[in-house]
Amino acid sequence: MNLEKLEIEHRVSLLFEMLEASHGLYHWVYDREGNLLETNAEDNTMHVIFAATDCMQVMTDHAASSDTPIILSASLGLLWIAAFAKSDGQPDRMYVLGPAFHTEISLKTIQKELQKHQIPGSWKVNFTQLLTHLPVISANSLRRMGIMLNNCVSGEKITVNDVAYQAEQLPAPTEDNRKDRHRTWMAEQNLLGMVREGNLDYQNAVSEAGSVSSGVGFRPDSPITQARVSVIVFTSLCTRAAIDGGILPDIAYTVGDAYIQQVNDCDTISHLANISHDMYDRFVRMVHEHRRRKDLSKQVQACLEYVQLHLEDDFDLTQLAKRLGYADYYLTRKFRQEMGISLNEYVRKARVERACTLLTTTEDSLQEISDRLHFSSRSYFSVVFKEITGMTPAEYREKNQNA
């Protein structure tokens, strides 16, 4: 072995030791034919799995035609990253890190997946135990490890965009599938268009979308998990649509992140549906309000955005003015001049509009909504609500929930 190869082996060995200590990762070294030369694993079980799937063939084919690292994948969300040392343009050594799960996976899911394969019972127990001890590493982190590994074996600096991925074999779409996907896309674009325009007349668009789509095409064991993923994806799309409609990114992402946290904490599908409706309505109204404010000064626009973002927070006008960097007398006077109503009146009106959404999209009691929006009492909440809408909160909920 020449000095250059010794140097490569030394660099790779140091990286392997570091990643084993920090992440518990296995490493594997193969020759150009795919023969295993070295590993830190106690047995070759994972080598057998790697060789039995398409991963080994994909790796050797990629090494023969490319110099870049590649992320390889197998069932259950197992990932490996491979990089290559070459001589005369041909792979001399193939270095592999993994496997790792790209997300948390339950023992029940592992056992269910193994049931699909003809595996002896005694071996299945050992394999299950081995899988449960594998690290969880995101694809982004694995890419960065691949970049470090590639630098060790080739000395070349690359970016995350240079890392290749194992191509997935997807079933060819049928004509019916194409039509269904197109209808879903059209309904989705209609929904997002309503957000971008701030169009409050969105009920028909919501009904149409519900009739052609049942959420993302991800089907986990738990329906609640599938529902969470669908609402999170929808929230992300609405967040970006709101930004397109003129909402500042900081504001839109803050609102979107708050709803995603609610989704993550939710444990019933009906509650998820309410969160989704509330989120959509709020983004539409934010854009609607923004489009009405284009002739307003930056100070008043900033004030309106702050109020909309903090409707469920307890604040007074002095605090608001201070946070925006203005004297309270200046801000309140300028606000009335441009809006035609006082800042206090606007806050009350905005909180009543928010209460209307909560009354129809949640099962929160009137007291809970009153407290949530910082009215001094339930009776005061009812008085203000009727003054603005012409009906009590209870009457509004009954009318709109039965509509």
Side-chain angles (χ1 to χ4, degrees):
M1 186 177 289
N2 60 35
L3 290 177
E4 182 180 356
K5 288 185 178 180
L6 282 173
E7 186 178 347
I8 290 174
E9 294 299 330
H10 178 65
R11 292 198 299 262
V12 170
S13 177
L14 290 176
L15 178 63
F16 282 165
E17 288 179 11
M18 180 182 70
L19 294 178
E20 180 181 7
S22 61
H23 292 83
L25 266 176
Y26 294 134
H27 68 258
W28 316 81
V29 182
Y30 297 93
D31 65 17
R32 68 181 62 186
E33 283 80 29
N35 298 309
L36 181 61
L37 303 177
E38 177 192 328
T39 182
N40 64 331
E42 295 180 359
D43 60 52
N44 288 346
T45 302
M46 285 301 168
H47 161 67
V48 173
I49 299 300
F50 186 75
T53 63
D54 290 338
C55 294
M56 177 66 79
Q57 188 61 52
V58 170
M59 180 179 70
T60 53
D61 290 347
H62 182 80
S65 60
S66 176
D67 295 335
T68 61
I70 182 171
I71 288 182
L72 304 153
S73 62
S75 60
L76 281 173
L78 291 173
L79 298 178
W80 292 261
I81 183 80
F84 316 103
K86 293 191 172 183
S87 58
D88 300 324
Q90 296 298 316
D92 184 53
R93 290 286 187 273
M94 298 185 287
Y95 299 90
V96 180
L97 288 166
F101 289 116
H102 68 81
T103 188
E104 293 285 352
I105 189 166
S106 67
L107 177 60
K108 179 181 178 182
T109 302
I110 291 174
Q111 292 171 337
K112 184 175 180 179
E113 181 67 25
L114 294 181
Q115 293 296 330
K116 301 176 183 178
H117 305 281
Q118 299 298 320
I119 301 173
S122 59
W123 193 86
K124 190 180 297 184
V125 171
N126 294 333
F127 187 44
T128 300
Q129 186 176 20
L130 182 62
L131 287 174
T132 57
H133 286 86
L134 290 179
V136 177
I137 301 174
S138 69
N140 283 335
S141 295
L142 206 60
R143 278 202 300 268
R144 290 193 289 270
M145 293 176 189
I147 291 172
M148 291 188 290
L149 183 57
N150 182 78
N151 185 260
C152 288
V153 301
S154 70
E156 296 181 0
K157 294 183 178 180
I158 61 174
T159 70
V160 292
N161 294 325
D162 296 314
V163 180
Y165 293 85
Q166 179 177 351
E168 298 289 339
Q169 296 297 319
L170 301 177
T174 64
E175 189 63 30
D176 287 342
N177 284 338
R178 291 191 187 99
K179 290 178 180 178
D180 288 344
R181 289 296 186 184
H182 184 68
R183 289 180 65 207
T184 299
W185 179 82
M186 291 291 290
E188 176 186 287
Q189 293 307 303
N190 193 20
L191 276 178
L192 298 178
M194 294 286 183
V195 176
R196 294 186 189 98
E197 297 166 8
N199 191 334
L200 299 178
D201 188 21
Y202 59 75
Q203 294 301 331
N204 289 337
V206 172
S207 298
E208 172 66 16
S211 68
V212 300
S213 176
S214 58
V216 297
F218 165 63
R219 297 292 182 267
D221 294 336
S222 168
I224 187 70
T225 301
Q226 199 269 342
R228 281 198 193 103
V229 172
S230 294
V231 177
I232 288 172
V233 170
F234 186 44
T235 302
S236 298
L237 292 173
C238 289
T239 300
R240 286 156 179 77
I243 294 171
D244 292 340
I247 303 301
L248 292 174
D250 283 351
I251 302 293
Y253 281 121
T254 298
V255 173
D257 289 347
Y259 279 106
I260 287 174
Q261 185 59 55
Q262 288 184 45
V263 170
N264 190 56
D265 296 338
C266 181
D267 57 4
T268 67
I269 291 178
S270 61
H271 189 197
L272 280 172
N274 289 336
I275 293 172
S276 180
H277 185 280
D278 185 21
M279 174 276 300
Y280 184 76
D281 180 84
R282 187 169 184 185
F283 273 127
V284 170
R285 291 183 183 278
M286 286 172 64
V287 176
H288 179 76
E289 286 296 316
H290 173 79
R291 285 174 172 262
R292 290 170 53 191
R293 305 174 197 152
K294 288 190 175 179
D295 58 341
L296 300 177
S297 65
K298 290 183 179 180
Q299 296 94 329
V300 173
Q301 286 189 40
C303 186
L304 293 174
E305 288 171 348
Y306 183 92
V307 170
Q308 287 294 329
L309 189 60
H310 296 275
L311 286 175
E312 297 183 22
D313 295 336
D314 189 16
F315 63 88
D316 59 31
L317 299 187
T318 301
Q319 288 176 319
L320 192 157
K322 184 177 180 180
R323 290 182 182 183
L324 294 177
Y326 305 110
D328 56 352
Y329 68 88
Y330 168 80
L331 185 62
T332 54
R333 184 182 63 186
K334 191 169 185 62
F335 190 95
R336 181 181 283 277
Q337 287 175 346
E338 296 187 23
M339 294 293 294
I341 61 173
S342 72
L343 185 49
N344 269 327
E345 288 173 314
Y346 177 82
V347 172
R348 288 198 309 162
K349 184 175 181 293
R351 281 178 166 158
V352 166
E353 289 177 349
R354 178 77 178 135
C356 289
T357 301
L358 296 174
L359 286 166
T360 56
T361 62
T362 75
E363 296 180 355
D364 291 353
S365 68
L366 301 188
Q367 184 65 58
E368 287 172 332
I369 293 175
S370 173
D371 293 342
R372 184 169 171 176
L373 294 171
H374 299 280
F375 288 93
S376 58
S377 66
R378 175 178 164 179
S379 60
Y380 178 67
F381 168 52
S382 296
V383 169
V384 174
F385 191 97
K386 187 170 184 177
E387 178 184 317
I388 292 174
T389 67
M391 63 185 80
T392 67
E395 289 169 345
Y396 183 91
R397 168 171 273 174
E398 183 178 3
K399 176 182 177 181
N400 287 276
Q401 285 188 336
N402 294 332

